[in-house]
Amino acid sequence: MGKNYFDKLIKYMKNVYDIERGLNQLTDGRINPTHNTVKAVTLVLLEFLLRIKSFNELNLMIKNNEFRKLFPLGTRSVYIIM
């Protein structure tokens, strides 16, 4: 899948569905969570939209910095361990 398609998909989600506002309203009951809920949910949503077959493949994509444009510089990566 080309990077141009991925960029268009992100822009579409932001503009049409205002996904950022919805994700920023997410909360959970954890005390001192290790990982940000919004980042974890965003990655799982992208896994679904991009039809990634497994969490292992998602982990590999995260380690290869394929989602670096999605989060601001200096953001700690989220690794999903199953």
Side-chain angles (χ1 to χ4, degrees), residues 9-19 45-46 49:
L9 177 64
I10 297 299
K11 280 184 183 178
Y12 181 80
M13 287 172 39
K14 287 180 178 180
N15 293 333
V16 174
Y17 296 108
D18 198 16
I19 195 92
L45 176 63
L46 284 173
L49 290 173

Side-chain angles (χ1 to χ4, degrees), residues 14-76:
K14 287 180 178 180
N15 293 333
V16 174
Y17 296 108
D18 198 16
I19 195 92
E20 288 177 308
R21 183 176 53 88
L23 289 173
N24 286 329
Q25 292 175 350
L26 287 175
T27 59
D28 62 12
R30 296 179 296 165
I31 299 172
N32 298 324
T34 305
H35 299 293
N36 187 329
T37 304
V38 174
K39 287 188 277 184
V41 169
T42 302
L43 288 172
V44 173
L45 176 63
L46 284 173
E47 178 183 19
F48 174 74
L49 290 173
L50 297 174
R51 297 181 182 172
I52 299 171
K53 295 178 180 137
S54 68
F55 283 118
N56 289 332
E57 187 178 344
L58 178 63
N59 271 336
L60 183 63
M61 291 175 81
I62 293 169
K63 289 177 184 177
N64 291 334
N65 290 320
E66 294 190 32
F67 300 109
R68 69 181 171 274
K69 289 185 179 180
L70 186 61
F71 299 110
L73 288 174
T75 302
R76 200 169 112 210

